[in-house]
Amino acid sequence: MVVSPSSSASVLVVGAGIVGLSVAWQLAERGHAVTLVDPALEGNLPGGGSRAALGVLMAQVFHRSRGRSWRLRQQSHRLWSQWINTLESRGHRLPRRRGLLLLASTEQELQRQGGIAADRAGLGIKLHQLSTEALAALRPRLPGDPLGGLLSPDDGQLDPGPLLEALQSELRRAGVSCVAQKAVAVVRRRPWRVLLAGGSELEADWLVLALGTGTAALLESLGHGLPIEPVLGQALELELATVPGWNWPGVVVWRGINLLPRPDLTPGGRRLWLGATLEPGEQAGAAALTELRELGGDAPAWLRDAAVVRRWQGLRARPQGQPAPVLAEPEPGLLVTSGHHRNGVLLAPATAEWVCSRIGS
């Protein structure tokens, strides 16, 4: 349902990854005049870290239960249910999987999982601790030799590809103007002005920078610093040699690596997503990909024998010296939403709500 603000504003959103698309969609839903700027719009491809996203949603099983990160995750967790219902009611198909299983590889991790489960129980959030016997019954065999596991039934995964397509479709429906050019500089003036690589310029009452690592360069043109570093992520789609007979309760996380069954991708149900690497800089490394492929030596035989069907990569923005993500208003009318690192899909709704609250909804 479209909500009309008391007074609409013109807004430039620079960056068309999952966060930028989400921000633009929610602003348009509230009646604002939105222009989205990103050269990747030329081919209808998402930009930035969205190219590396697996869409894992880890909110309820997050290791902390207080502070800003926890609040943002819980807000997004609630909003995702609303967003999915809205988008699906408009005819979009959003494949998603419920359940996320954290495996404990050490006694310290096992004890930490027990603490998390006890803490969440006090908040009315039910998590399930799985014994080694319960884990041994899962097929195909889990990686390594886990000492236990913590299952969050309400976390899981949302397929980023169809989600991005749905958001882009909603922007077209709402009449959002999309400019497939690179923003090269910002001029401090109300209305704000953005200079484009082609020599033209755009202006609006509000400017939202959702460019990931590219945000820092635009802020520098205004004299603002944003310490942020690129972290490259590589991911794989694998096809198993035999039909696995999946009975995993959802996404499996082993030592920070996500193993995501995708039986929906082929009639035989033999596909799996694996990712993603954490590589400082912008260059993909063969060694890091091999480490991912072999799970650091913990890959079971069925995973080692799987064939690589597809490989993809993208850059995530990680803030330096401050928590992720960066949500800031360095000057009146200038909003920064960047540095989501590995949680762009998860935190997109809370980020969009923050922007809307600043501009007025």
Side-chain angles (χ1 to χ4, degrees):
M1 182 175 66
V2 175
V3 178
S4 297
S6 56
S7 61
S8 62
S10 58
V11 188
L12 288 174
V13 179
V14 182
I18 179 65
V19 171
L21 290 172
S22 298
V23 167
W25 176 49
Q26 286 300 295
L27 287 170
E29 286 283 289
R30 287 157 169 83
H32 296 294
V34 183
T35 300
L36 183 64
V37 183
D38 192 316
L41 292 168
E42 180 70 33
N44 289 323
L45 294 174
S50 299
R51 291 177 182 162
L54 296 182
V56 174
L57 307 178
M58 185 185 294
Q60 305 295 63
V61 78
F62 185 55
H63 63 276
R64 291 194 294 271
S65 62
R66 56 193 56 84
R68 174 177 173 267
S69 292
W70 169 257
R71 292 192 298 272
L72 288 173
R73 286 170 186 260
Q74 296 312 296
Q75 182 184 20
S76 276
H77 181 74
R78 293 188 296 269
L79 287 171
W80 264 127
S81 296
Q82 300 173 23
W83 282 26
I84 290 171
N85 288 338
T86 296
L87 291 169
E88 290 189 333
S89 72
R90 296 177 181 178
H92 303 291
R93 179 177 173 271
L94 298 176
R96 60 190 186 276
R97 278 142 288 277
R98 296 190 181 278
L100 189 147
L101 175 60
L102 291 178
L103 299 178
S105 61
T106 66
E107 287 289 347
Q108 184 179 14
E109 285 183 356
L110 190 62
Q111 293 175 9
R112 185 182 303 117
Q113 289 183 359
I116 293 173
D119 177 84
R120 296 305 126 83
L123 297 174
I125 299 172
K126 190 169 184 179
L127 304 180
H128 307 284
Q129 291 183 270
L130 302 188
S131 66
T132 53
E133 291 78 13
L135 296 178
L138 297 179
R139 295 291 180 270
R141 178 178 176 271
L142 295 170
D145 293 303
L147 303 179
L150 186 62
L151 173 63
S152 174
D154 290 333
D155 287 324
Q157 186 262 356
L158 181 62
D159 199 331
L163 170 62
L164 290 164
E165 292 175 5
L167 291 174
Q168 289 174 318
S169 175
E170 286 301 302
L171 294 185
R172 290 191 293 269
R173 182 192 65 81
V176 170
S177 176
C178 294
V179 179
Q181 292 193 50
K182 181 179 179 180
V184 295
V186 176
V187 177
R188 182 185 286 108
R189 183 182 299 176
R190 295 298 295 269
W192 288 93
R193 291 170 56 207
V194 171
L195 308 183
L196 304 177
S200 60
E201 61 183 49
L202 299 169
E203 64 177 35
D205 301 321
W206 290 80
L207 173 61
V208 182
L209 300 182
L211 267 176
T213 55
T215 298
L218 290 180
L219 285 174
E220 284 179 6
S221 65
L222 296 171
H224 298 292
L226 178 62
I228 201 164
E229 70 172 0
V231 178
L232 187 135
Q234 299 186 78
L236 296 171
E237 182 176 320
L238 306 175
E239 182 163 309
L240 283 59
T242 59
V243 178
W246 299 106
N247 68 345
W248 289 6
V251 181
V252 168
V253 183
W254 172 252
R255 293 182 173 174
I257 297 297
N258 301 310
L259 294 92
L260 175 57
R262 293 303 309 266
D264 57 303
L265 295 179
T266 58
R270 295 185 288 134
R271 294 289 174 90
L272 172 89
W273 283 3
L274 183 65
T277 62
L278 290 172
E279 304 172 57
E282 302 182 10
Q283 297 299 318
L289 193 63
T290 299
E291 182 81 1
L292 172 69
R293 179 75 173 79
E294 299 176 356
L295 293 182
D298 292 326
W302 64 266
L303 188 58
R304 293 196 303 269
D305 294 340
V308 176
V309 176
R310 184 168 65 100
R311 178 178 71 86
W312 66 98
Q313 66 186 51
L315 292 177
R316 288 79 60 94
R318 181 165 61 190
Q320 299 298 292
Q322 58 183 306
V326 177
L327 302 177
E329 187 173 1
E331 296 185 22
L334 173 63
L335 302 179
V336 176
T337 64
S338 186
H340 290 73
H341 193 29
R342 301 183 76 181
N343 293 299
V345 175
L346 170 62
L347 297 180
T351 300
E353 284 299 307
W354 178 81
V355 171
C356 290
S357 70
R358 302 302 300 171
I359 294 177
S361 58

